[in-house]
Amino acid sequence: MALQLKIIDSVEKLGYRVTVGDVAAYSGISPYVVQKELLSLASDTLGNLQVTESGEIVYIFSQNLRTIFRNKNLIFRLNEIWKKIWITLFYLIRISFGIILIFSIAIIFAAITIILTSLYSNKEENDQYSSGYRGMNFFVLPNFSDLFWIFYPTGNYSSFSSSKSNEDKFLKKTTFLEAVFSFLFGDGNPNFNLEEIRWEMIGRVIYNNEGVIIAEQIAPYLDNINKYNEYNEDYILPVLKRLAGVPIVSPKGELIYSFPELQTFIKNLPEKHINNNFEEKLYEFTHISSNQKILVISLGVINFILVLTLGSLLKDQSVISASNSLIGFINSSYWFLFSYASFFLGLPLVRHFVIQSRNTRINKRNLERRERLRILSKSNEIIKSKLCYVTQFLSQVKSNNTKLVYTTEKRVVEQSDNIGF
């Protein structure tokens, strides 16, 4: 389904009149896959075909292509429904971690209050309880009078002042409950569509060079280059396999690469990825504001302190037996509360070091890509010689004929021998 939608997206952006080469160059998808999908799409949506004298097939689609496809494809409609359901479901998952934090603080504080109240009320009747209560005086409990800050609109906490308050106004507006999830798990992979962008840019480079390139023109977009495959240019093999390319040897023994399927005759593809720098984005720990970070961390620390305090109180079995059923339930759930409190503070710490390690590797790869782009821009003698042969090769193979000899838009008997545009 995702592949079909990407094909439809490319067809729409290319003006509903495309060749296999156009779509392959624009999307970076293998020409063989594109051909199969275009034929299927044309059949399902009543598209038309045109054939040039050179044998090039042009696919013509209706302007309401997406609507026709939606109406005829049940899976497409179900996929759209699921996307709407998932948005709501994922929102509930995100806020659940904040709700658990609030619930944990509230129930632990209530349990501690009940236990200490019970101990205090019985201290005159039972010396053991009195002694136990005095033993608890070393616990310093935080002030919870302002606990309900968490329900105020985010970004407006009078208790926290920040010199970056003006900057925070431009940050994405996030509720407190969503901020908890962002603090714990981050905001997703910033390079989730990296491979898609990579192949789109590679396809565009090949198209801009009329289907014939040298390895150095593709190198800034690849990561599998090392000292073992750089000299013999083996790193370009995945590109040849995906986009149906073939190597050509020059009289000097230099290699250039031709992609016949991407030597399309339809011109002026929409501008795309003008910036030649193909770089990965760095991971951010979280996008939430400084005030939200302070609030989330503070509540996490408070929750952890309360859990430890409750654990100390629950060590005395007489406290549990003398208390109500709520304390018994909390005692049975203590390890869940302790695990969540530890998880809440431990996971972001681990994630911080993981992000640092990932960003170090990303910076290294970006630096290598920039260096390969710099080498290409300098155009040493070897590169100049290869590009010169590319020009000669193109001058020999340019023989595309855009004259139509057949189209499915008309019956065969209605078509003359020469169909022009």
Side-chain angles (χ1 to χ4, degrees):
M1 177 58 66
L3 178 61
Q4 290 174 311
L5 293 178
K6 187 164 182 59
I7 296 292
I8 291 175
D9 183 62
S10 298
V11 170
E12 289 175 336
K13 292 178 179 178
L14 293 170
Y16 301 95
R17 185 173 183 275
V18 299
T19 64
V20 169
D22 289 328
V23 176
Y26 191 80
S27 64
I29 301 173
S30 168
Y32 302 119
V33 175
V34 170
Q35 184 177 39
K36 178 181 176 181
E37 292 299 327
L38 283 178
L39 285 170
S40 175
L41 187 62
S43 175
D44 293 341
T45 62
L46 304 179
N48 292 289
L49 303 181
Q50 293 178 341
V51 183
T52 68
E53 286 184 344
S54 61
E56 190 75 52
I57 298 176
V58 184
Y59 296 82
I60 312 295
F61 295 96
S62 170
Q63 296 286 329
N64 57 345
L65 168 64
R66 190 176 293 267
T67 301
I68 297 173
F69 183 78
R70 179 190 296 111
N71 294 337
K72 289 196 172 186
N73 195 305
L74 176 61
I75 297 178
F76 183 87
R77 296 198 299 272
L78 293 176
N79 186 57
E80 288 188 326
I81 295 173
W82 168 246
K83 285 181 180 179
K84 295 178 181 178
I85 295 174
W86 173 244
I87 290 174
T88 302
L89 183 61
F90 186 58
Y91 175 77
L92 294 176
I93 293 173
R94 293 206 315 271
I95 66 174
S96 66
F97 289 89
I99 293 173
I100 293 174
L101 175 64
I102 297 171
F103 178 78
S104 176
I105 291 175
I107 196 171
I108 294 172
F109 179 67
I112 292 174
T113 301
I114 292 171
I115 292 173
L116 294 182
T117 301
S118 176
L119 290 173
Y120 179 77
S121 65
N122 295 329
K123 71 174 184 176
E124 292 183 355
E125 300 175 4
N126 192 314
D127 292 338
Q128 181 179 356
Y129 283 173
S130 177
S131 175
Y133 173 71
R134 287 194 298 272
M136 298 301 168
N137 286 338
F138 66 89
F139 292 108
V140 180
L141 297 180
N143 181 8
F144 293 92
S145 60
D146 295 326
L147 180 60
F148 291 97
W149 291 341
I150 54 180
F151 298 110
Y152 296 165
T154 57
N156 189 28
Y157 306 108
S158 58
S159 302
F160 302 116
S161 60
S162 172
S163 60
K164 297 175 65 180
S165 59
N166 291 332
E167 179 182 343
D168 289 341
K169 291 180 182 179
F170 296 96
L171 296 175
K172 180 181 177 181
K173 293 182 179 179
T174 306
T175 65
F176 167 77
L177 295 179
E178 292 175 303
V180 171
F181 183 88
S182 178
F183 177 76
L184 289 175
F185 301 103
D187 307 304
N189 182 1
N191 303 300
F192 70 96
N193 60 340
L194 181 70
E195 288 305 307
E196 179 181 333
I197 294 175
R198 184 201 305 275
W199 287 107
E200 286 179 355
M201 296 182 76
I202 289 174
R204 188 64 181 178
V205 168
I206 296 172
Y207 178 84
N208 288 343
N209 288 275
E210 301 182 74
V212 183
I213 52 98
I214 62 175
E216 288 81 356
Q217 290 174 304
I218 299 297
Y221 307 98
L222 300 176
D223 294 324
N224 60 333
I225 302 177
N226 53 52
K227 61 181 180 180
Y228 302 106
N229 63 15
E230 185 172 14
Y231 177 76
N232 55 19
E233 301 182 359
D234 285 348
Y235 59 83
I236 203 173
L237 290 176
V239 180
L240 299 179
K241 179 181 178 181
R242 182 183 180 105
L243 299 178
V246 292
I248 306 294
V249 182
S250 73
K252 295 182 179 180
E254 300 164 334
L255 286 173
I256 66 171
Y257 303 92
S258 175
F259 296 82
E261 297 291 343
L262 272 62
Q263 293 169 5
T264 180
F265 76 98
I266 295 182
K267 306 299 181 183
N268 300 322
L269 289 184
E271 285 296 330
K272 192 173 189 180
H273 305 302
I274 298 175
N275 189 354
N276 291 326
N277 294 325
F278 173 63
E279 295 191 350
E280 296 176 63
K281 298 176 183 177
L282 297 178
Y283 280 79
E284 283 188 83
F285 182 78
T286 177
H287 72 264
I288 63 177
S289 67
S290 299
N291 286 348
Q292 288 176 321
K293 288 179 188 176
I294 295 172
L295 180 60
V296 173
I297 294 173
S298 298
L299 291 177
V301 171
I302 288 172
N303 186 47
F304 189 73
I305 293 174
L306 289 177
V307 166
L308 294 180
T309 303
L310 178 62
S312 297
L313 291 171
L314 293 176
K315 286 180 180 179
D316 189 346
Q317 292 299 316
S318 61
V319 170
I320 301 173
S321 60
S323 301
N324 57 30
S325 58
L326 175 62
I327 301 303
F329 169 75
I330 293 175
N331 180 58
S332 63
S333 307
Y334 176 76
W335 285 110
F336 170 78
L337 297 172
F338 178 80
S339 299
Y340 183 77
S342 302
F343 165 82
F344 195 92
L345 296 179
L347 178 62
L349 182 62
V350 172
R351 199 164 59 81
H352 169 75
F353 291 107
V354 171
I355 286 175
Q356 295 301 314
S357 176
R358 285 178 174 175
N359 285 344
T360 298
R361 295 194 295 270
I362 288 175
N363 281 325
K364 182 176 182 294
R365 289 194 294 269
N366 285 341
L367 182 63
E368 291 173 348
R369 295 187 190 107
R370 287 195 293 268
E371 177 61 21
R372 291 195 285 268
L373 189 62
R374 186 189 65 81
I375 292 174
L376 176 63
S377 63
K378 287 180 63 176
S379 295
N380 57 38
E381 292 302 319
I382 295 177
I383 293 177
K384 288 180 180 178
S385 177
K386 288 183 178 181
L387 291 175
C388 180
Y389 183 67
V390 166
T391 303
Q392 296 175 14
F393 182 82
L394 282 172
S395 64
Q396 297 173 6
V397 299
K398 279 185 179 179
S399 59
N400 285 343
N401 192 329
T402 62
K403 191 175 182 181
L404 293 179
V405 296
Y406 176 72
T407 174
T408 59
E409 295 174 292
K410 298 180 181 180
R411 292 185 300 171
V412 176
V413 296
E414 296 176 341
Q415 300 183 57
S416 61
D417 293 335
N418 299 303
I419 303 177
F421 285 112

